[in-house]
Amino acid sequence: NFTIILFHYDGNVDGWWDLEWSKNAAHIVAQNQTKWWFAKRFLHPAVVSIYDYIFLWDEDLGVDNFHPGRYLKIVKSEGLEISQPALDPNSTGIHHRITVRLRTNKLHRRVWEVRGSTKCSEESEGPPCTGFVEGMAPVFSRSAWYCAWHLIQNDLVHGWGMDMKLGYCAQGDRTKKVGVVDSEYVVHQGIQTLGGASARKASSPEESMKKHTVDMRAEIRRQSTSELQIFKRRWEQAVKEDKNWADPFWKKRRRNRRRNQRLHI
């Protein structure tokens, strides 16, 4: 019931032929691109409209504890439009507490966190406390993908900032229709392959002067950070220009603030 598409950004298609299933997969090659770049060009909602769900995953995920059939059964029964498998606590590169697996849960939709710069409580109404999945392993329903595809900016290839806005594609209340599935989980291995390994450090100042060593990972992070700011500005500008725009979560935030104020009177 699944169609597998591999997006090759390193050109190494031949390295997959030893896996029997890859012979039945579609292979798309474009050097030094990202999955969001590929998705914008090859996963148009009209093209994938025959599928109920779209898995848009990174390549460095361990799936020994993940079964797609069981996963989708939970997603459907819980009414999740946007979801992700939880991350094993021993994963590399965990950025948001809400993505970490809760061992005794089937799934969770919010996290409570009092440490660090982000405080998450019962009153929290949005990302990254609730209504949030991260960009490494999102799963979209057909309707949610129709919306999310339009969020992808054609020229912003890294997709930074999108995860904070995906809740607007949840086809309703993001605190209910976005969730993290704990019983089917993955391991994020944090293998940084985009752009190739960082260049070898020069062994001497003379070598550095000769080779002009470039840290590709640092360059990718610089570009990603720049794209994040551009995405934020475009969102703000689009909201300002669309006179018919009404934030679906603004009324709920205002109502909850009023309720909290009454409780403290």
Side-chain angles (χ1 to χ4, degrees):
N1 294 328
F2 288 84
T3 296
I4 298 175
I5 303 176
L6 294 181
F7 297 139
H8 298 276
Y9 54 76
D10 58 0
N12 183 24
V13 179
D14 291 339
W16 293 79
W17 296 135
D18 60 320
L19 301 172
E20 187 65 28
W21 58 264
S22 73
K23 298 175 183 177
N24 298 316
H27 297 261
I28 301 175
V29 183
Q31 288 287 128
N32 296 323
Q33 293 299 342
T34 71
K35 74 176 184 183
W36 299 106
W37 184 93
F38 283 104
K40 187 66 173 179
R41 287 154 180 80
F42 300 103
L43 297 181
H44 188 282
V47 174
V48 297
S49 62
I50 64 171
Y51 299 98
D52 294 327
Y53 293 93
I54 307 297
F55 291 66
L56 192 61
W57 284 16
D58 288 358
E59 80 280 19
D60 58 347
L61 300 174
V63 294
D64 290 343
N65 299 294
F66 179 84
H67 187 281
R70 291 195 296 266
Y71 180 88
L72 288 180
K73 185 176 181 180
I74 294 171
V75 166
K76 292 176 182 178
S77 66
E78 295 290 337
L80 299 180
E81 296 286 338
I82 301 175
S83 62
Q84 74 162 81
L87 302 182
D88 186 287
N90 295 318
S91 294
T92 301
I94 294 177
H95 303 111
H96 299 283
R97 182 70 182 173
I98 194 172
T99 64
V100 180
R101 182 188 180 218
L102 303 178
R103 298 181 186 277
T104 59
N105 284 30
K106 180 172 66 174
L107 81 160
H108 63 275
R109 293 179 171 87
R110 65 167 53 244
V111 68
W112 291 264
E113 181 65 70
V114 296
R115 298 171 295 179
S117 58
T118 301
K119 302 295 191 294
C120 296
S121 66
E122 191 64 42
E123 284 71 41
S124 300
E125 298 152 356
C129 302
T130 185
F132 178 84
V133 298
E134 199 168 0
M136 67 183 69
V139 179
F140 302 91
S141 70
R142 184 192 298 112
S143 297
W145 177 245
Y146 180 87
C147 170
W149 184 87
H150 286 87
L151 271 184
I152 304 173
Q153 301 295 289
N154 200 49
D155 58 331
L156 305 182
V157 299
H158 293 287
W160 279 29
M162 277 190 56
D163 50 6
M164 292 294 177
K165 302 301 183 184
L166 287 177
Y168 287 94
C169 294
Q171 313 300 300
D173 188 345
R174 62 186 173 188
T175 66
K176 298 177 180 178
K177 293 183 175 293
V178 180
V180 178
V181 177
D182 297 293
S183 58
E184 300 297 323
Y185 62 98
V186 297
V187 178
H188 185 223
Q189 299 170 344
I191 302 173
Q192 297 178 338
T193 54
L194 184 61
S198 296
R200 179 177 61 88
K201 291 184 178 180
S203 59
S204 66
E206 292 77 13
E207 183 181 353
S208 178
M209 289 290 289
K210 290 178 181 178
K211 296 186 177 297
H212 300 285
T213 304
V214 176
D215 187 337
M216 292 302 297
R217 293 302 310 173
E219 175 59 23
I220 289 171
R221 179 164 289 276
R222 183 204 64 77
Q223 181 181 349
S224 300
T225 303
S226 175
E227 289 187 3
L228 171 61
Q229 299 308 316
I230 295 172
F231 181 84
K232 287 181 176 179
R233 288 197 298 270
R234 288 182 182 177
W235 178 277
E236 293 168 358
Q237 186 64 30
V239 169
K240 185 183 300 183
E241 293 177 354
D242 188 349
K243 303 304 180 182
N244 296 318
W245 163 258
D247 190 330
F249 305 118
W250 183 77
K251 289 184 178 180
K252 182 178 180 181
R253 288 196 295 268
R254 185 175 64 173
R255 184 169 62 250
N256 286 345
R257 281 197 296 267
R258 289 177 176 175
R259 182 193 63 189
N260 292 336
Q261 289 172 353
R262 287 197 299 270
L263 292 175
H264 287 90
I265 293 176

